[in-house]
Amino acid sequence: MDGVLPRTPTGRPRIAAVGAILVLCLLAAPLMSLFPVAVWDLTHTLTTGGAGYESLLVAPVAVGGILLILLLSGYWLMSAGVTRPASCASLVVGVSMATPVVMGFLAPAFTPLPGGLVANIAAVSALLSTAALGVCVLSNRPEGRRQPGVLPGVAVAVAALLVLPLASEHMRGRFTEQRSLAQINGFEYTIAVLDSPRWVPVRVHEVHDGLRMTYVRDGGAEGAPDAGGLDGTDPGDEPEPDGGEGAAAVHVLSWTRARAAEGIRDDCGFPGVECSQEEGLLAVYRGSDGREGSGLSEVRARLDDGTVASVHPAGSLPPDQLFTVARFLRAEHPGERDALVDAVLRR
């Protein structure tokens, strides 16, 4: 059985076949990988634009385009002296069609190169196609009696496509870590800390009026020997979790200096907003009729250094328990941001 790249009966030099495969992998494959992207964008545009059965015409056009690309690739490889032109063309075209589907739906976060998802799809298609056919060339030796053909390349391509979602999740995690580190260390104002071993930060987001950290009840802290907070506070009056993953969760918003300059009663005079001072904290009720018929939306506290922070309910935590949680707010200590970053990344 012939190998993938032996010298052809016509005497065409082997370098011509190798060059044709490299051109197909490094130039044609990236361009072919953009074809499914264009078809998807066209279908999405027709569907959202109100097109009905007309959008179904895209399917036969897409299939016809793929078959045409396959035939042209196979003919070009055959003219270059590749002895398995149909198999090689099918492998490259298949990789070029499968890569954007896998990266678009299963591995959208896998973007090792700058330029966005489309540019990365083209680059990954070129890399996988070259690796697949490279393995085929190395595994098919002219003196062998039984040649595996393009099967080694198919195995490499399938394995690489299966690994892409795992690599995507890893890159997503790394991106989240870097973003959390930048947002916490880059915040120019005081960060409010929920000072209790029963509450741990899990996410951080920079919003237009401050830095928002999400805390959840840590079930592992139940029954801990040291039940006191970081400053010796007693969390015994904290609300017990009411079951379910993330059920007891709150958002702690650290205000910027510009927002705090508006005062802790900022927007309390708006229609449908009622504020009341309770237990040394400011409760904010939002609804069409103010407090009447509306729920507690946030509890604000002025910290020891004069900054303002607010606690917002998340998950299924009862809003009326925000008062208990807000009593454990304090301003960050010098050098504490590294501990906050570590706490977020551990989750």
Side-chain angles (χ1 to χ4, degrees):
M1 181 181 293
D2 291 333
V4 175
L5 292 175
R7 188 182 301 274
T8 61
T10 59
R12 188 180 302 276
R14 183 184 181 91
I15 191 172
V18 175
I21 283 184
L22 289 177
V23 170
L24 182 66
C25 292
L26 298 178
L27 295 181
L31 295 177
M32 287 187 292
S33 67
L34 301 180
F35 180 71
V37 178
V39 171
W40 170 258
D41 290 341
L42 177 60
T43 304
H44 182 70
T45 301
L46 292 175
T47 303
T48 56
Y53 294 105
E54 295 86 351
S55 60
L56 298 178
L57 297 177
V58 176
V61 172
V63 174
I66 295 174
L67 292 177
L68 179 61
I69 293 174
L70 181 61
L71 291 176
L72 291 177
S73 300
Y75 178 78
W76 185 64
L77 289 178
M78 181 176 62
S79 64
V82 178
T83 57
R84 292 181 180 272
S87 299
C88 293
S90 299
L91 178 57
V92 175
V93 173
V95 170
S96 301
M97 298 298 129
T99 300
V101 176
V102 173
M103 292 187 63
F105 293 97
L106 301 179
F110 185 73
T111 52
L113 301 177
L117 182 60
V118 174
N120 279 270
I121 286 175
V124 172
S125 298
L127 179 62
L128 293 187
S129 300
T130 304
L133 282 189
V135 170
C136 293
V137 173
L138 295 177
S139 61
N140 287 272
R141 292 176 293 183
E143 64 273 11
R145 298 184 57 184
R146 300 185 62 180
Q147 300 289 348
V150 297
L151 291 180
V154 173
V156 169
V158 172
L161 291 174
L162 292 177
V163 168
L164 283 181
L166 300 178
S168 177
E169 288 302 317
H170 175 72
M171 293 193 67
R172 190 195 306 272
R174 292 291 301 170
F175 175 75
T176 301
E177 292 179 3
Q178 295 172 0
R179 184 180 60 182
S180 299
L181 178 64
Q183 288 176 335
I184 292 177
N185 289 331
F187 191 63
E188 301 177 355
Y189 312 101
T190 300
I191 296 179
V193 177
L194 184 52
D195 190 6
S196 170
R198 294 186 178 183
W199 291 90
V200 292
V202 293
R203 288 184 300 276
V204 58
H205 296 281
E206 191 171 2
V207 294
H208 70 281
D209 52 359
L211 187 73
R212 188 185 74 189
M213 297 192 68
T214 302
Y215 286 77
V216 297
R217 273 299 286 270
D218 186 4
E222 296 293 337
D226 182 11
L230 298 181
D231 285 341
T233 55
D234 180 12
D237 294 332
E238 293 184 66
E240 292 298 323
D242 53 354
E245 182 179 358
V250 293
H251 298 311
V252 175
L253 178 64
S254 304
W255 289 21
T256 61
R257 186 173 294 115
R259 172 78 189 280
E262 301 293 332
I264 194 172
R265 300 185 66 88
D266 180 36
D267 71 21
C268 286
F270 289 175
V273 179
E274 181 177 333
C275 302
S276 63
Q277 199 77 21
E278 304 177 24
E279 304 177 16
L281 304 169
L282 185 70
V284 180
Y285 298 85
R286 287 188 174 88
S288 58
D289 300 323
R291 183 171 182 175
E292 199 63 36
S294 63
L296 180 63
S297 62
E298 63 176 296
V299 175
R300 300 173 182 176
R302 188 174 295 278
L303 307 181
D304 294 338
D305 64 347
T307 59
V308 179
S310 54
V311 180
H312 304 254
S316 60
L317 181 74
D320 57 357
Q321 295 184 356
L322 290 180
F323 287 101
T324 306
V325 176
R327 288 202 297 267
F328 294 94
L329 288 178
R330 63 165 174 82
E332 62 176 316
H333 295 319
E336 192 176 6
R337 296 198 175 189
D338 291 340
L340 290 175
V341 172
D342 292 340
V344 172
L345 298 186
R346 281 199 303 267
R347 304 296 291 190

Coordinates of all heavy atoms in Angstrom, one line a residue, residues 4 7 21 25 27 30 64 97 101 126 149 155 170 172 192 196 201 233 240 250-251 276 309 339:
V4 N 1.8 8.3 2.0 CA 1.1 9.5 1.7 C 1.9 10.3 0.7 O 1.4 11.0 -0.2 CB 0.9 10.3 3.0 CG1 0.3 11.7 2.7 CG2 0.0 9.6 3.9
R7 N 7.5 9.3 -4.1 CA 7.7 9.9 -5.4 C 6.6 9.3 -6.3 O 6.4 8.1 -6.4 CB 9.1 9.6 -5.9 CG 9.4 10.3 -7.2 CD 10.8 9.9 -7.6 NE 11.8 10.2 -6.6 CZ 12.4 11.4 -6.4 NH1 12.1 12.4 -7.3 NH2 13.3 11.6 -5.5
I21 N 1.1 20.4 0.3 CA 0.5 20.1 1.6 C 0.7 21.3 2.6 O -0.3 21.6 3.3 CB 1.0 18.8 2.2 CG1 0.4 17.6 1.5 CG2 0.7 18.7 3.7 CD1 0.7 16.2 2.0
C25 N -2.2 23.4 4.2 CA -2.4 23.5 5.7 C -2.3 24.9 6.2 O -3.1 25.4 7.1 CB -1.5 22.6 6.4 SG -1.7 20.8 6.1
L27 N -2.2 28.0 4.5 CA -2.9 29.1 3.8 C -4.3 28.7 3.6 O -5.2 29.5 3.9 CB -2.2 29.4 2.5 CG -0.8 30.0 2.6 CD1 -0.2 30.3 1.3 CD2 -0.7 31.2 3.5
P30 N -6.7 27.9 7.1 CA -7.3 29.1 7.8 C -8.4 29.7 7.0 O -9.4 30.1 7.6 CB -6.1 30.0 8.0 CG -4.9 29.1 7.9 CD -5.3 28.1 6.9
G64 N -22.9 22.4 -0.5 CA -22.3 22.5 -1.8 C -21.0 23.2 -1.8 O -20.0 22.8 -2.5
M97 N -13.3 22.5 9.0 CA -14.8 22.7 9.3 C -15.1 22.4 10.8 O -16.0 23.0 11.4 CB -15.6 21.7 8.4 CG -15.5 22.0 6.9 SD -16.0 23.6 6.5 CE -14.6 24.2 5.5
V101 N -16.4 25.0 14.8 CA -17.6 24.5 15.5 C -17.2 24.2 17.0 O -17.9 24.6 17.9 CB -18.1 23.3 14.9 CG1 -19.3 22.7 15.7 CG2 -18.6 23.6 13.5
A126 N -4.9 26.0 11.1 CA -3.6 25.8 10.4 C -2.7 24.9 11.2 O -2.1 24.0 10.7 CB -3.0 27.2 10.2
G149 N -1.8 5.1 6.1 CA -2.5 6.2 5.4 C -2.6 7.4 6.3 O -1.7 7.8 7.0
A155 N -6.4 10.6 14.0 CA -6.3 10.4 15.4 C -5.8 11.6 16.1 O -6.3 12.1 17.2 CB -5.4 9.2 15.8
H170 N -9.1 25.9 31.2 CA -7.9 26.3 31.9 C -7.6 27.8 31.6 O -7.3 28.6 32.5 CB -6.7 25.5 31.4 CG -5.4 25.9 32.0 ND1 -5.1 25.7 33.3 CD2 -4.4 26.6 31.4 CE1 -3.9 26.2 33.5 NE2 -3.4 26.7 32.4
R172 N -9.8 30.1 30.7 CA -10.8 30.9 31.3 C -10.5 31.1 32.8 O -10.7 32.2 33.4 CB -12.2 30.2 31.2 CG -13.4 31.0 31.6 CD -14.6 30.2 31.8 NE -14.9 29.4 30.7 CZ -15.6 29.8 29.6 NH1 -16.2 31.0 29.7 NH2 -15.9 29.0 28.6
A192 N -14.3 47.4 51.3 CA -15.0 46.9 52.5 C -14.9 45.4 52.6 O -15.0 44.7 51.6 CB -16.5 47.3 52.4
S196 N -15.9 37.9 58.8 CA -16.4 36.7 59.4 C -15.9 35.5 58.8 O -15.8 35.4 57.6 CB -18.0 36.7 59.4 OG -18.5 35.4 59.8
P201 N -15.1 35.4 50.2 CA -15.3 36.0 48.9 C -15.0 35.0 47.8 O -14.1 34.2 47.8 CB -14.3 37.2 48.9 CG -13.2 36.7 49.8 CD -13.9 35.9 50.9
T233 N -15.1 39.9 66.6 CA -16.5 40.0 66.6 C -17.1 38.6 66.7 O -16.5 37.6 66.4 CB -17.0 40.6 65.4 OG1 -16.5 40.0 64.2 CG2 -16.6 42.1 65.3
E240 N -28.4 31.6 59.5 CA -28.0 30.3 59.0 C -28.4 30.1 57.6 O -29.4 30.6 57.1 CB -28.8 29.2 59.9 CG -28.3 29.1 61.3 CD -26.8 28.8 61.4 OE1 -26.4 28.0 60.7 OE2 -26.2 29.4 62.3
V250 N -24.2 37.2 49.4 CA -24.4 38.7 49.4 C -23.4 39.3 48.5 O -22.3 38.8 48.3 CB -24.3 39.3 50.8 CG1 -25.5 38.8 51.7 CG2 -23.0 39.0 51.5
H251 N -23.8 40.5 48.0 CA -22.8 41.4 47.3 C -22.4 42.5 48.2 O -23.3 43.2 48.8 CB -23.5 41.9 46.0 CG -23.9 40.9 45.0 ND1 -23.1 39.9 44.6 CD2 -25.0 40.8 44.3 CE1 -23.7 39.2 43.7 NE2 -24.9 39.7 43.5
S276 N -34.4 54.5 55.6 CA -34.6 54.6 57.0 C -33.4 54.2 57.8 O -32.7 53.2 57.4 CB -35.8 53.8 57.5 OG -35.6 52.4 57.3
A309 N -20.0 51.6 52.3 CA -20.2 50.3 51.7 C -21.6 49.9 51.8 O -22.3 50.4 52.7 CB -19.2 49.3 52.3
A339 N -4.5 38.9 50.7 CA -5.3 37.8 51.3 C -6.7 37.7 50.6 O -7.2 36.6 50.4 CB -5.5 38.1 52.8

